Amino acid sequence: MSSTEFNSLLLGNADFLRPYAVTLTKDSESAKDLYQETLFRALSNRDKYLAGTNIRAWLYTIMRNIFINNYRRGNRQYRLLDNAVGDYLLSHQPSAIGNFAESDLRVKDVQMAVYNLPVIFKQPFLLYFEGYKYYEIAAILNEPLGTVKSRIHFARKMLKTRITRH
C-alpha cells in the first residue's frame, strides 16, 4: 500500500476517534492531544498496518494504548480551575502531610531487596523500573523478549516475598 493510499484511508477513518478520545480523557483539550498523538503514531507506523485489515480497530488500539501508557506514567495531572479572570490552572497541593521517616525506612527496605536480587533478574527489573519498555530492555540486554518479561515477573515475585508489609 502506498503512502498516499494509506493517508487517504487514515483520514477517511479518523473522525470516529474524536468521541472515543473524549470518552477516555473526559477533557476536550486532552482529547485533542490524544487524537493528534494517535494520528502521528499511525502515520509513523504505517508499515505495521496490514492492508485489508480493519483500520478502525487498529486506530482504536493505538489510541487506547497511548492513553493507558500516559495514565501509567503519571501524565494525568491534577488541576484545579481558579474562577478568576483567565481561569488559571493551579497545581493540586495535598492537604495531608506524610510521615517521611517511616517512608524513608520503607524505601531503604525496597532498595536493599532490589540490591540483593540475582543479577540476572536485577538488570531487567531496574531497566523496567527506569521506564524502558520490554522490547527496549530486550535489545539492551540482547535477550529474547519473552525472557525479559519472565525475568521481570520473577523479580517482582521475589521482591514481594522479601519485602514484608507492616
Side-chain angles (χ1 to χ4, degrees):
M1 173 179 282
S2 71
S3 61
T4 309
E5 292 171 337
F6 178 81
N7 291 346
S8 64
L9 182 64
L10 179 67
L11 292 177
N13 289 292
D15 286 339
F16 75 94
L17 287 172
R18 291 181 196 272
Y20 184 56
V22 172
T23 302
L24 288 173
T25 62
K26 311 282 192 263
D27 177 45
S28 63
E29 289 302 314
S30 298
K32 289 177 186 175
D33 291 341
L34 181 60
Y35 175 76
Q36 288 178 352
E37 180 69 19
T38 302
L39 293 181
F40 172 74
R41 294 251 179 106
L43 286 171
S44 62
N45 292 302
R46 74 172 140 240
D47 56 321
K48 295 178 183 174
Y49 173 71
L50 299 174
T53 60
N54 187 349
I55 191 162
R56 287 186 177 202
W58 188 66
L59 292 171
Y60 267 134
T61 303
I62 291 171
M63 182 174 278
R64 187 189 74 235
N65 290 343
I66 292 170
F67 176 75
I68 290 170
N69 288 340
N70 288 343
Y71 185 81
R72 286 181 180 162
R73 283 189 190 115
N75 280 347
R76 185 172 181 205
Q77 299 172 351
Y78 295 99
R79 295 179 264 170
L80 299 174
L81 284 178
D82 183 7
N83 289 330
V85 177
D87 288 334
Y88 295 103
L89 293 176
L90 303 174
S91 297
H92 173 70
Q93 297 294 325
S95 58
I97 297 174
N99 182 350
F100 295 115
E102 183 180 339
S103 64
D104 285 346
L105 289 174
R106 296 295 297 156
V107 168
K108 288 180 183 176
D109 289 343
V110 172
Q111 288 174 339
M112 184 57 81
V114 170
Y115 177 77
N116 289 329
L117 282 174
V119 175
I120 197 166
F121 298 113
K122 184 176 14 176
Q123 284 179 325
F125 178 79
L126 288 175
L127 289 170
Y128 182 77
F129 185 74
E130 290 175 8
Y132 289 95
K133 293 184 167 73
Y134 288 122
Y135 70 90
E136 294 171 330
I137 298 168
I140 290 169
L141 298 177
N142 198 23
E143 295 283 347
L145 183 62
T147 302
V148 168
K149 287 181 178 182
S150 67
R151 287 181 182 170
I152 292 170
H153 171 75
F154 286 120
R156 286 180 180 162
K157 283 179 75 171
M158 284 185 227
L159 290 174
K160 283 181 185 177
T161 59
R162 292 179 182 182
I163 301 171
T164 58
R165 297 185 184 219
H166 298 293

